[in-house]
Amino acid sequence: MVIALLAVILLGPASAFAQQESATITGEVRDASGAVVPNAAVTVTNIDTNITVATVTNDRGAYTVPNLRPGHYSLTAEAPGFTRTVRTGLTLQVAQVARADVTLEGSQLTETVQVVGASPLLETLTSSRGSVIDQRKIVELPLNGRDYNQLALLSPGVLPGTPRLASVNFKGVLNVNGNRTFNNVFLLDGVDNISYSNSFRGENVQLVQPSIEALQEFKIQTNAYSAEFGRSSGAVVNATIKSGSNTVRGSVYEFFRNDALDANNYFSRLLGAPKPVRERNQFGGAAGGPLVKNRTFWFGDYEGLRDREGIPRVRQVPTAAEKAGLFDAAVFDPFTAGRPEFG
């Protein structure tokens, strides 16, 4: 009894987290006349990993397949006396509840109907408002400092943080629908990713700032999100990391700035000073592949930053004569000079 209770405690939170970042496919299976088809076999297959999840429709012809990682899928539905129907080109996004209905044609022969290039899956079962930033936008859109949070500004109602925080390059600061910057929730693969430290070490509201090469996609929900996210008045930024697949894929990158390509700045020229040092190298890579094909996969990434920057500053220092005690004007104590005497 104690062991069973402990297992529930350990597995319960993991299931709850998985629901936050994973996707769900739901729908109905009907025949050509519109009647529901109970006990139809429905199989959902991940195109990249070839992992399948199977279920059957209930007595109302409905099915639900939860806890699917964002990615590309195909759906197969079959029942005795009907043709086997395959829907391809299904793309699931993070925290999406997609509807995919299937119509089976009656047949006495073993046939397969394949539906290719289907219309995008509609999300009609939730009322949350938000935007999904997919991996192509994350990689191809220009980002200063490769901070993926900047892409959240593409969503309606999202504004950058205060100029004070922006001036120190504070990451993850967003004002959503008039809410304060620190009222947002950040999730990484369904796990709480908020820095609750008062010091905000690393000048970031997140504990972990993932590299954009490691991100599959992220979704920013700005309003009317479900109760599983409802613990903050701001937005929910739900990011998910890439997964390995049956094909080994990887990428490497290097972004740099160097003073050899820069002109001298105004203040250095004004003082006759040499051009300040500026060397910034942001580099890394990501790779993933199969450990056991169709079953177990691996993925990893690394990002490094080397930044050297010289900043010219102007300060007033004593002249040689002043150091020797020679002043052009009388020296007085500014705290006592001109004070009225009380006696």
Side-chain angles (χ1 to χ4, degrees):
M1 180 65 180
V2 176
I3 296 177
L5 180 60
L6 180 60
V8 171
I9 293 175
L10 293 177
L11 296 178
S15 300
F17 286 139
Q19 293 171 3
Q20 292 183 343
E21 57 90 19
S22 59
T24 299
I25 291 183
T26 187
E28 294 180 343
V29 178
R30 297 177 177 269
D31 61 18
S33 66
V36 299
V37 180
N39 297 320
V42 177
T43 304
V44 177
T45 304
N46 187 303
I47 301 300
D48 296 322
T49 63
N50 205 32
I51 292 178
T52 61
V53 180
T55 187
V56 295
T57 58
N58 58 19
D59 55 355
R60 293 175 295 177
Y63 73 92
T64 298
V65 182
N67 299 332
L68 299 173
R69 286 194 60 85
H72 305 290
Y73 288 85
S74 66
L75 185 147
T76 302
E78 54 188 333
F82 294 92
T83 58
R84 183 171 180 263
T85 300
V86 179
R87 288 190 60 176
T88 59
L90 307 180
T91 300
L92 295 182
Q93 298 174 330
V94 59
Q96 181 183 15
V97 181
R99 186 175 185 89
D101 296 326
V102 180
T103 300
L104 298 181
E105 300 289 341
S107 176
Q108 299 300 323
L109 302 176
T110 303
E111 297 178 343
T112 299
V113 176
Q114 186 169 2
V115 181
V116 181
S119 58
L121 297 176
L122 299 179
E123 190 169 352
T124 60
L125 302 178
T126 62
S127 60
S128 64
R129 297 179 181 177
S131 303
V132 174
I133 310 299
D134 58 30
Q135 210 268 335
R136 181 179 179 183
K137 294 178 183 177
I138 293 174
V139 173
E140 295 185 0
L141 290 178
L143 290 173
N144 184 13
R146 292 173 61 81
D147 178 12
Y148 79 94
N149 295 290
Q150 298 172 13
L151 295 176
L153 299 176
L154 299 175
S155 301
V158 181
L159 296 174
T162 62
R164 180 180 66 85
L165 294 174
S167 65
V168 296
N169 197 28
F170 209 100
K171 294 182 175 61
V173 287
L174 304 168
N175 293 111
V176 181
N177 295 330
N179 287 281
R180 297 185 62 189
T181 295
F182 301 109
N183 286 353
N184 302 319
V185 173
F186 289 86
L187 301 173
L188 184 61
D189 278 341
V191 179
D192 192 339
N193 193 30
I194 304 175
S195 174
Y196 292 98
S197 171
N198 291 330
S199 61
F200 292 105
R201 296 181 61 186
E203 297 178 345
N204 199 327
V205 296
Q206 303 168 90
L207 286 174
V208 178
Q209 174 77 26
S211 166
I212 65 173
E213 293 290 331
L215 279 179
Q216 173 73 19
E217 61 187 27
F218 73 94
K219 181 176 184 179
I220 176 168
Q221 296 171 266
T222 58
N223 200 354
Y225 35 78
S226 62
E228 61 185 312
F229 304 109
R231 60 186 181 88
S232 179
S233 60
V236 176
V237 181
N238 200 341
T240 181
I241 299 295
K242 291 179 182 177
S243 172
S245 64
N246 281 328
T247 304
V248 177
R249 294 189 178 96
S251 61
V252 293
Y253 59 90
E254 161 78 16
F255 296 89
F256 76 96
R257 287 186 60 183
N258 194 286
D259 53 58
L261 305 176
D262 297 338
N264 201 357
N265 63 62
Y266 170 80
F267 296 101
S268 295
R269 292 198 308 270
L270 183 66
L271 300 173
K275 183 167 51 177
V277 174
R278 187 67 173 100
E279 296 178 359
R280 178 184 174 92
N281 297 86
Q282 193 168 9
F283 55 92
L291 192 61
V292 178
K293 196 169 184 178
N294 298 334
R295 179 175 297 180
T296 307
F297 309 91
W298 60 271
F299 178 84
D301 80 289
Y302 170 80
E303 180 169 290
L305 176 63
R306 308 291 185 267
D307 197 359
R308 296 179 58 202
E309 182 178 9
I311 302 176
R313 299 184 184 276
V314 179
R315 294 290 186 269
Q316 185 174 358
V317 296
T319 63
E322 291 173 343
K323 290 180 180 180
L326 303 176
F327 297 91
D328 297 334
V331 179
F332 60 91
D333 186 350
F335 295 100
T336 59
R339 285 187 178 181
E341 296 183 0
F342 299 94

